Amino acid sequence: MTPPPGGATLPPTPVRTGFRTNARAVLVLGLPLVGSHVAQFALHVTDTIMLGWYGVTDLAAGALGATVFFVLFTLGIGFSQAVMPMVATSAASGEDTEVRRVTRMGMWLSLIYFVIVLPFFLFSAPLLNLLGQDPDVARLGGGYLAIVGWGLAPALLAMVLKSYLAALERTQVVLWATLLGVAVNIGVNWVLIFGNLGFPEMGARGAATASVLVQLVTLGALLAYALWLPALRHYQLLVRFWRPDWAALRQVNALGLPIGLALLAETGLFAASAVMMGWLGKETLAAHSIALEITAMFFMVHLGLSNAATVLVGRARGQRNPEALRAAATASVIISLIFAVATMGVYLIFSEQMVGLFLKPDDPARVVIVPLGATLLSVAALFQLADGGQVMAMGLLRGMQDTRQPMVIAAVSYWLIGLPAGYALGFIVGWEGIGVWLGLVAGLTCAAIALHVRFWRSI
């Protein structure tokens, strides 16, 4: 579709009211986003594998640095997540100027956040030493963070553009841009980590450099598409980009900061659970890490479907059509529930085989880690319903531009219910790793129930 002559406003995209139509819309929008999230996760996996081939110390340094980067990145992407429902609602209302305003100020807030946290990246080595890390790991991890920190700006800007394009139902390009990043990451890692093709052998610092290049390439691809596609030119995304729009900036910040804090609360819950699992021994921690890696991969599906729900609910809200809003929400929840039930079956039937893929056949610790990891995946069958339910409810509420109270619900559920329950069941009752994971299930279940109640009451 091309813009009308003279730069006239395009007619708003029609909303859908039938279940089949909405289910198809959820899948058409959601599946490319699922693929994009899986591809983003693959960046982490390829870094882990290739650094593991290079050396244990560089692997540990890269893992430590990537964890720190992810925590700060998670807080920063709240602004980009706020852009998605705001653009969806504005586009459905035919308010092209508002689409440009909120997207541009989402980019501004991302850059402001980058400037605030950059010093932490540049001077992280002494901080890692203070945290009691191995001196070699702290030194290499600090070097990794000093490089990868520069990639935070393009990474956050790319997330804003992904939200902008997804809200305009341009999800295919989001998938292809992320896949391009994966290909670049593998190639540059091979060159810079190992010193191939005459380049210096950089180890963990090579992986960090590759990550920065990946973020720049992804940002460049998305920006080129957003600016030059004829159907999107009328939004004039970067027109007078340098001019502040304080009203729009406050709106995006008010919506986005609670999203970032809620995401940080969930990330912190899993980080704290890893600490508790470490108290139970390295084999238990290894089983926990493997099981969590598997569940994280499946979680990407729920996350993509949740993003689709945000867009569809936001569009229905922009058209002031409560019937279409309820239909979009119902279809999103049912599809997510179907996937969760199917995943439960996979976990219960193939748990040992999936955990075994992460260990060498002759690894002596295999006889301990595989059964324990399989048991944790059995608990994760409940985990799927809870985690899928809470992330879907979050997506629906974001579509309604309701983020502050959900942030409080998430923090209370994760930190005042989930974490204490995990400690009590794991160490006081004596269920150890299973108890810690049941605590995660309890926290996520409380969040899912409370968030869904809030959404369905609000409509």
Side-chain angles (χ1 to χ4, degrees), residues 103-119:
T103 304
R104 195 170 61 192
M105 288 303 100
M107 298 172 81
W108 266 57
L109 284 165
S110 297
L111 291 172
I112 291 168
Y113 175 78
F114 163 73
V115 172
I116 292 171
V117 302
L118 180 61

Side-chain angles (χ1 to χ4, degrees), residues 249-423:
L249 187 142
R250 284 192 292 270
Q251 291 172 2
V252 177
N253 182 66
L255 196 65
L257 186 58
I259 294 175
L261 291 172
L263 292 170
L264 188 63
E266 184 176 4
T267 302
L269 172 67
F270 286 99
S273 71
V275 171
M276 289 193 291
M277 296 295 275
W279 296 342
L280 297 169
K282 63 181 181 180
E283 288 85 4
T284 303
L285 180 58
H288 167 81
S289 300
I290 292 171
L292 205 58
E293 199 92 344
I294 294 169
T295 57
M297 182 65 77
F298 282 90
F299 176 74
M300 297 300 121
V301 178
H302 292 294
L303 187 58
L305 295 174
S306 171
N307 292 154
T310 297
V311 174
L312 293 173
V313 167
R315 283 191 168 276
R317 182 172 180 268
Q319 293 282 35
R320 295 175 175 83
N321 190 330
E323 182 184 352
L325 196 155
R326 282 191 292 271
T330 301
S332 300
V333 170
I334 290 174
I335 291 173
S336 180
L337 182 62
I338 290 171
F339 177 77
V341 172
T343 305
M344 290 172 66
V346 172
Y347 284 175
L348 293 174
I349 297 171
F350 301 108
S351 56
E352 289 195 4
Q353 292 89 332
M354 288 191 292
V355 174
L357 293 174
F358 287 78
L359 298 166
K360 294 179 180 178
D362 59 349
D363 191 328
R366 186 182 179 94
V367 293
V368 176
I369 295 174
V370 169
L372 180 54
T375 303
L376 294 179
L377 281 182
S378 298
V379 178
L382 298 175
F383 194 111
Q384 275 294 301
L385 284 174
D387 211 10
Q390 65 87 23
V391 75
M392 177 53 70
M394 280 287 194
L396 294 170
L397 288 166
R398 287 171 192 165
M400 298 292 291
Q401 299 188 23
D402 179 7
T403 61
R404 187 164 297 180
Q405 191 62 32
M407 173 195 69
V408 176
I409 291 172
V412 170
S413 299
Y414 302 153
W415 286 90
L416 297 185
I417 297 175
L419 193 62
Y423 179 82

